[in-house]
């Protein structure tokens, strides 16, 4: 796993000039677009958060791991033909954590309502809901090489719903 160093990558508003905290940084690793990469990516993200001492609640960790699982699964199932490798990135700021999965397939998926009779097709809906419930944001963007990156950024502090 490559560490791009503390403070590299996007910063939350208002925190751009502050000294980075010990757990801030961006880490990226690649994996083949195969089923075995799903649990490997999930474990790598969990271990990274623990090793870096990121102040995450158990609920937030579970949400992040679910998001990583869904995004890697989507890349394996839908992009492997045109993208035999995928990249997982974890970026941690002072108040947020962002996970993303990038592949080289040009198709940009959307989170559509799935037919209740279907056994699949709900991955991005689940990502969107977990992200929303945590008070975060998620999106799909095209990359410079014609692929896409799907990401979710969640706040480190729990969001209180009244």
């Amino acid at each position: 796993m490559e560490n791009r160093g503390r403070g590299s990558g996007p910063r939350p508003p208002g925190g751009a000039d502050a000294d980075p905290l010990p757990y801030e940084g961006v880490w990226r690793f690649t994996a083949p677009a195969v089923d075995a990469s799903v649990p490997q990516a999930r474990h790598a993200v969990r271990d990274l958060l623990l090793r870096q001492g990121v102040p995450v609640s158990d609920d937030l960790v579970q949400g992040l791991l679910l998001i990583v699982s869904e995004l890697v699964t989507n890349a394996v199932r839908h992009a492997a033909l045109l993208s035999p490798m995928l990249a997982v990135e974890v970026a941690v700021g002072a108040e947020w954590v962002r996970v993303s999965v990038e592949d080289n397939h040009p198709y940009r998926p959307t989170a559509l309502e799935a037919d209740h009779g279907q056994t699949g097709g709900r991955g991005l809906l689940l990502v969107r809901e977990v992200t929303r419930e945590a008070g975060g944001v998620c999106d799909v963007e095209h990359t410079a090489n014609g692929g896409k990156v799907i990401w979710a950024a969640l706040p480190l502090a729990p969001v209180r719903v009244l």
Side-chain angles (χ1 to χ4, degrees):
M1 184 180 303
E2 173 188 343
N3 178 353
R4 292 192 197 169
R6 288 187 195 155
S8 62
R11 298 285 221 143
D17 297 329
D19 289 332
L21 295 168
Y23 55 81
E24 287 184 284
V26 178
W27 296 266
R28 183 178 176 91
F29 61 92
T30 57
V34 297
D35 289 337
S37 293
V38 176
Q40 289 171 351
R42 188 174 52 245
H43 294 180
V45 170
R46 181 199 62 209
D47 294 348
L48 170 70
L49 295 171
L50 181 62
R51 184 174 61 250
Q52 292 304 120
V54 180
V56 288
S57 68
D58 289 340
D59 287 344
L60 185 62
V61 170
Q62 293 307 313
L64 287 167
L65 298 181
L66 179 59
I67 290 167
V68 168
S69 293
E70 291 297 331
L71 296 182
V72 173
T73 297
N74 282 352
V76 168
R77 288 187 181 163
H78 304 294
L81 185 62
L82 295 178
S83 183
M85 296 296 288
L86 58 92
V88 177
E89 185 172 280
V90 180
V92 183
E95 300 173 357
W96 52 270
V97 59
R98 178 181 187 240
V99 293
S100 62
V101 175
E102 180 178 338
D103 63 58
N104 291 321
H105 197 290
Y107 175 69
R108 183 177 170 166
T110 55
L112 301 175
E113 294 297 328
D115 179 358
H116 292 291
Q118 290 181 305
T119 58
R122 294 186 183 90
L124 287 180
L125 280 173
L126 187 57
V127 167
R128 186 176 66 191
E129 281 303 305
V130 168
T131 302
R132 184 190 61 75
E133 286 179 15
V137 293
C138 59
D139 202 1
V140 181
E141 299 172 355
H142 288 289
T143 60
N145 67 355
K148 67 183 164 302
V149 61
I150 305 175
W151 58 268
L154 307 179
L156 290 176
V159 174
R160 292 177 46 188
V161 180
L162 301 175

